[in-house]
Amino acid sequence: MTIRRAFVLILLLLSVQPWAGAEPQRGRGGGGDSGEITILKPARVFDGDTMHEGWGVRVRGTRIDAAGPAGGLDATGAKTIDLPGTTLLPGLVEGHSHVLLHPYNETTWNDQVAHESLALRTARAVNHLRATLMAGFTTIRDLGTEGAGYADVGLKEAIDKGIIPGPRMLVSTRAIVATGSYGPKGYASEWTVPQGAEEADGIDSMARVVRSQIGHGADWIKFYADYRWGPLPGAHPTFTLESLTIGVQTAHVSGTPVSAHSSSPEGMRNAILAGVDTIEHGDAGTPEIFKLMAEKRIALCPTLAAGDATSQYAGWKKGEQPEPPGITRKRASFKAALDAGVTILSGSDVGVFTHGDNARELELMVSYGMSAADALKAATSVAGRVLRMENQIGQVKTGLFADLIAVDGDPTKDISSLRRVKFVMKNGTIYVGRPL
């Protein structure tokens, strides 16, 4: 209880200083819970599946009230916000984030987990959440606090209560690893070093840890189905298929979906056969593995941006030097996933690189062979379905949350236009772009 109170105090202190440029514009066409009506008039609307020229959107309070040809929207009692030259689209979804990490070229993962205090990491995370929202990402799935306990649950609560600005959060708390397979590493063998995720082994331990994390507020369970451990180089499975299956079944009994970190074919196969809902990374996935994923309707969160970033941290001069082998393999595995018809959820592993630069993932998906329209779907309508929020987010559709952004230009023709954010509304509240 003492730790929880201290954590809440940190958030309250951080909220005292106003956020320049991120103050909700309630009562000025912002909607909120007031029931006010706002009509948004961009040049076009991407509804999560299709582009519509000349459309507008009417927002009532926290929800989308109507969408269609702008001239046909009932403007009675409404405030109008003109957004000329822009595309209005659903708030973007970040499918794989770590808000309690910051870029590895600033501080290594080991040092962040082992040497940075919970208070420091939480303070950083408040800024990370704000930057994410301001970049047009109104929902995130945060896949592990990496040694910061259940801080993600408290951050989610702070956002929901309006203490700090940020996107909707789906959290996975501590994540689950096999004993001895994770880090921090590099310490004397006689030391017992706190780990960046919660350890579990065997059937009984696995079920208990899953239940504990759900009890602490996890919206998703995350397993590390493989990792770099043992005497051989590369990633290897960390759990037996039996243990992993019990973990997935325990989560699913409660209605909690499951993600699996996995980059090796063996780890991916175990995760697929265990029944997970999404696989993260999939770096060494083969056509056969991706075919099995497609058959089982398991989505891939490719995290292209993380590998792009870490390769550059390691010395690769992008655009000047040939691609390193890891990038070439990633291109090939992503193409194999597309060819197999695997559902793609946009997720970048942001935290490895700078929060707010999330659009980097969509740019790389297009660079690696996905159409811009499909990349947009991966971060909107497809994301809503994969995250089991299709009746809440991901589309411009009557009754869904008024999570809407406007960008300068047409992202189906130039995906980089996602970086030119002119307007951000979350839950009917405006965070970027004041009404005229």
Side-chain angles (χ1 to χ4, degrees):
M1 184 60 71
T2 301
I3 293 174
R4 181 179 179 84
R5 286 175 179 166
F7 177 68
V8 171
L9 178 60
I10 290 164
L11 293 176
L12 288 172
L13 290 172
L14 287 168
S15 71
V16 171
Q17 183 65 32
W19 292 104
E23 280 296 289
Q25 301 299 315
R26 295 183 179 89
R28 302 189 57 193
D33 293 322
S34 64
E36 290 185 350
I37 303 171
T38 304
I39 290 182
L40 306 175
K41 288 188 174 181
R44 65 197 69 82
V45 172
F46 178 76
D47 66 6
D49 291 296
T50 305
M51 187 70 79
H52 304 276
E53 296 289 335
W55 267 31
V57 176
R58 187 172 67 234
V59 172
R60 186 187 299 270
T62 62
R63 302 276 177 169
I64 296 170
D65 193 47
L73 295 176
D74 182 4
T76 304
K79 296 181 180 180
T80 298
I81 300 178
D82 290 314
L83 298 163
T86 68
T87 300
L88 190 76
L89 64 155
L92 299 172
V93 175
E94 170 58 76
H96 188 133
S97 73
H98 294 282
V99 299
L100 286 139
L101 292 176
H102 60 102
Y104 294 176
N105 64 335
E106 296 175 357
T107 308
T108 65
W109 182 91
N110 248 39
D111 284 348
Q112 290 185 48
V113 176
H115 300 299
E116 293 185 349
S117 70
L118 177 60
L120 174 62
R121 297 183 66 189
T122 303
R124 286 187 192 275
V126 171
N127 286 338
H128 298 160
L129 289 162
R130 175 185 177 273
T132 302
L133 179 62
M134 299 292 278
F137 288 77
T138 57
T139 298
I140 64 172
R141 183 180 61 154
D142 202 65
L143 288 180
T145 61
E146 305 295 337
Y150 303 104
D152 54 351
V153 178
L155 288 164
K156 174 184 175 179
E157 185 178 5
I159 292 170
D160 291 346
K161 290 185 175 181
I163 298 172
I164 60 173
R168 300 177 188 280
M169 291 185 72
L170 297 172
V171 300
S172 60
T173 72
R174 300 172 64 188
I176 301 172
V177 295
T179 298
S181 65
Y182 207 49
K185 295 185 181 298
Y187 293 87
S189 58
E190 60 269 23
W191 288 15
T192 300
V193 179
Q195 296 292 282
E198 188 169 8
E199 295 181 322
D201 300 287
I203 293 173
D204 293 340
S205 174
M206 179 70 82
R208 179 189 59 76
V209 168
V210 169
R211 292 189 183 104
S212 175
Q213 292 199 4
I214 293 170
H216 280 89
D219 301 302
W220 278 71
I221 290 295
K222 180 187 179 183
F223 293 107
Y224 281 77
D226 58 27
Y227 206 68
R228 302 178 298 276
W229 75 301
L232 300 176
H236 304 279
T238 52
F239 293 111
T240 65
L241 176 58
E242 182 183 29
S243 293
L244 199 55
T245 300
I246 288 295
V248 173
Q249 290 176 347
T250 303
H252 282 173
V253 163
S254 74
T256 305
V258 177
S259 72
H261 166 114
S262 185
S263 59
S264 68
E266 299 85 357
M268 292 176 71
R269 184 183 298 278
N270 282 346
I272 293 165
L273 296 178
V276 303
D277 299 283
T278 68
I279 286 181
E280 316 303 308
H281 313 303
D283 294 13
T286 64
E288 293 74 23
I289 290 293
F290 288 126
K291 180 175 182 292
L292 186 60
M293 280 185 70
E295 290 171 354
K296 300 287 187 180
R297 298 183 179 180
I298 296 170
L300 173 68
C301 199
T303 66
L304 307 178
D308 181 76
T310 55
S311 293
Q312 292 183 66
Y313 298 160
W316 173 42
K317 295 181 179 179
K318 188 175 181 178
E320 300 178 18
Q321 297 176 333
E323 288 184 346
I327 297 294
T328 302
R329 285 194 298 271
K330 190 70 170 180
R331 279 186 181 273
S333 67
F334 185 65
K335 183 178 185 302
L338 294 179
D339 291 346
V342 173
T343 298
I344 304 296
L345 166 64
S346 179
S348 65
D349 214 353
V350 64
V352 173
F353 60 97
T354 304
H355 294 275
D357 192 23
N358 308 65
R360 182 175 185 170
E361 181 73 13
L362 286 97
E363 292 172 338
L364 286 168
M365 287 196 290
V366 173
S367 174
Y368 286 19
M370 199 175 199
S371 73
D374 284 344
L376 281 179
K377 292 176 186 178
T380 55
S381 57
V382 171
R385 291 193 295 272
V386 172
L387 298 183
R388 303 184 180 186
M389 299 179 73
E390 63 269 30
N391 294 322
Q392 299 173 290
I393 64 166
Q395 299 178 76
V396 179
K397 182 179 177 182
T398 300
L400 272 62
F401 287 128
D403 290 5
L404 300 162
I405 70 169
V407 300
D408 185 21
D410 182 348
T412 64
K413 297 176 180 177
D414 175 14
I415 197 67
S416 68
S417 65
L418 293 178
R419 294 184 179 274
R420 301 190 293 272
V421 176
K422 302 299 182 183
F423 178 86
V424 175
M425 172 183 279
K426 178 198 156 198
N427 208 35
T429 295
I430 297 171
Y431 290 86
V432 176
R434 294 175 180 268
L436 299 177

